[in-house]
Amino acid sequence: PPVPPGWVQQVRALPLARVLHRLGAGRTRAGDPVNPRVGAELLVGTGQHLRAGEPWLRVHHEGTLSAEGRRELQDALCLGPEPPGEPPALVAETILPSEPHPEPCRVSQ
């Protein structure tokens, strides 16, 4: 079902991290493989108004996102009927690529 309209109060990072970890983005112990193709793009920020049906998260993965995982991600978004009182201080940085490496980058396993 589409998300009802509301104001983004916060996005809980821990549920996002747990789901992404299960999809392969993290290690349980040293030496475990990491899938570099798994990740997420947050499409909203605190204080932003979200219309009904408007996406707020894009998840990249290989395989299938379970119904439980989808529910966990949906629960990570906290919406309210009004804008949040005091938005958190915003620090924005733009990171540019460095000079090309003389050797190709290796993918961590």
Side-chain angles (χ1 to χ4, degrees), residues 6-89:
W7 294 87
V8 177
Q9 305 296 312
Q10 77 177 76
V11 176
R12 295 184 189 110
L14 190 54
L16 296 178
R18 285 182 179 147
V19 171
L20 292 171
H21 182 267
R22 288 195 307 266
L23 290 171
R27 295 182 171 100
T28 300
R29 53 190 158 298
D32 283 353
V34 173
N35 186 338
R37 297 175 57 119
V38 174
E41 295 176 66
L42 193 57
L43 306 175
V44 299
T46 302
Q48 183 175 337
H49 186 263
L50 196 61
R51 296 184 307 267
E54 185 175 9
W56 69 274
L57 180 69
R58 181 177 295 125
V59 179
H60 302 270
H61 61 92
E62 296 175 326
T64 304
L65 179 60
S66 68
E68 177 187 354
R70 185 174 301 279
R71 198 169 31 258
E72 286 179 76
L73 293 175
Q74 289 169 330
D75 291 345
L77 178 66
C78 300
L79 293 178
E82 301 291 329
E86 232 3 82

